[in-house]
Amino acid sequence: MKKQNIVIIDYDAGNIQSVKYAFERLGITPIVSKDKEVIRNADKVIFPGVGEASWAMNSLKENDLIDLIPDLKQPVLGICLGMQLMCESTEEGNTKALGIFPVSVKRFSNEQKVPHMGWNQLDDLKGGLLNGIKPSEFTYFVHSYYVPLIEETIASCDYIVPFSAALQKDNFYACQFHPEKSGDVGVKILKNFINL
């Protein structure tokens, strides 16, 4: 695997250590930073996130990152809340988000247990991020809000309703699941992102 400068955006929202550790297991030591120049000069950028959307957007604003992220030209991977914040808005706190993907994030109905938590399978796989992943392979999810299926959907999943498990638009990629907690499938996806 080629040596690269991978930066994880640090905006005080989430699963940074587990994502960092997943890359270290692949022999890559990512930089964790909120510095705009460091992020802008990265070969690849990871935009993780867990927690509540309006709080996370506020944290991005406080760190002066709201305009930077949609303007990045290198491959960017949003994970979990990171993916939802890359959309136009979310019902969570009626929050305006970054507007990269042309869709609004919805809350699951209470027909089944929410949050959707645990292993679920991926279907309708498309594109380089998911190379070598077979339909019906399982990844790990923890979320109460979902992105509906749209043109930019590159993997779907089903829980209460079909939803986007992964998205891609230009250099922006995103996963609703946690690749860093998804075993061998997650490792393959992170390797694919490194090799894009």
Side-chain angles (χ1 to χ4, degrees), residues 44 69-77 86 99-102 127-129 151-154 167-174 193 196:
K44 306 259 166 55
I69 295 168
D71 202 41
L72 293 171
K73 303 296 182 239
Q74 67 274 67
V76 177
L77 178 63
M86 292 165 90
I100 295 163
F101 296 110
L129 185 67
E151 194 178 323
E152 291 79 7
T153 300
I154 57 170
L167 299 170
Q168 183 201 344
K169 181 183 178 187
D170 305 324
N171 57 309
F172 293 98
Y173 299 79
F193 181 69
L196 285 170

Side-chain angles (χ1 to χ4, degrees), residues 24-182:
E24 286 170 350
R25 287 195 307 258
L26 297 174
I28 290 172
T29 304
I31 297 162
V32 176
S33 182
K34 53 183 76 172
D35 183 287
K36 290 202 286 192
E37 282 313 300
V38 171
I39 296 166
R40 200 176 273 120
N41 291 318
D43 296 318
K44 306 259 166 55
V45 174
I46 310 294
F47 178 37
V50 294
E52 196 272 332
S54 61
W55 180 86
M57 282 301 294
N58 201 45
S59 188
L60 286 175
K61 187 177 180 181
E62 283 173 8
N63 287 290
D64 198 23
L65 296 171
I66 284 181
D67 294 329
L68 173 75
I69 295 168
D71 202 41
L72 293 171
K73 303 296 182 239
Q74 67 274 67
V76 177
L77 178 63
I79 297 174
C80 195
L81 180 63
M83 167 165 145
Q84 296 183 4
L85 297 180
M86 292 165 90
C87 298
E88 283 178 352
S89 64
T90 171
E91 288 182 355
E92 186 173 23
N94 291 319
T95 305
K96 183 178 186 297
L98 297 172
I100 295 163
F101 296 110
V103 63
S104 292
V105 180
K106 310 278 185 210
R107 192 179 197 290
F108 283 121
S109 71
N110 289 325
E111 288 170 42
Q112 293 183 51
K113 195 174 110 194
V114 175
H116 171 218
M117 188 166 172
W119 296 86
N120 205 339
Q121 60 190 44
L122 301 179
D123 285 304
D124 307 314
L125 308 170
K126 301 180 200 108
L129 185 67
L130 302 165
N131 270 348
I133 309 298
K134 297 180 191 74
S136 302
E137 291 212 75
F138 284 79
T139 54
Y140 188 77
F141 292 85
V142 184
H143 60 123
S144 300
Y145 293 79
Y146 70 93
V147 176
L149 299 177
I150 55 172
E151 194 178 323
E152 291 79 7
T153 300
I154 57 170
S156 67
C157 185
D158 202 306
Y159 186 79
I160 305 173
V161 291
F163 66 88
S164 295
L167 299 170
Q168 183 201 344
K169 181 183 178 187
D170 305 324
N171 57 309
F172 293 98
Y173 299 79
C175 305
Q176 180 59 66
F177 55 88
H178 286 274
E180 77 282 7
K181 296 178 181 175
S182 293

Side-chain angles (χ1 to χ4, degrees), residues 5-38:
N5 171 19
I6 293 182
V7 174
I8 300 172
I9 298 176
D10 177 13
Y11 64 108
D12 311 314
N15 52 331
I16 285 171
Q17 287 311 314
S18 57
V19 174
K20 183 172 184 270
Y21 182 56
F23 279 101
E24 286 170 350
R25 287 195 307 258
L26 297 174
I28 290 172
T29 304
I31 297 162
V32 176
S33 182
K34 53 183 76 172
D35 183 287
K36 290 202 286 192
E37 282 313 300
V38 171

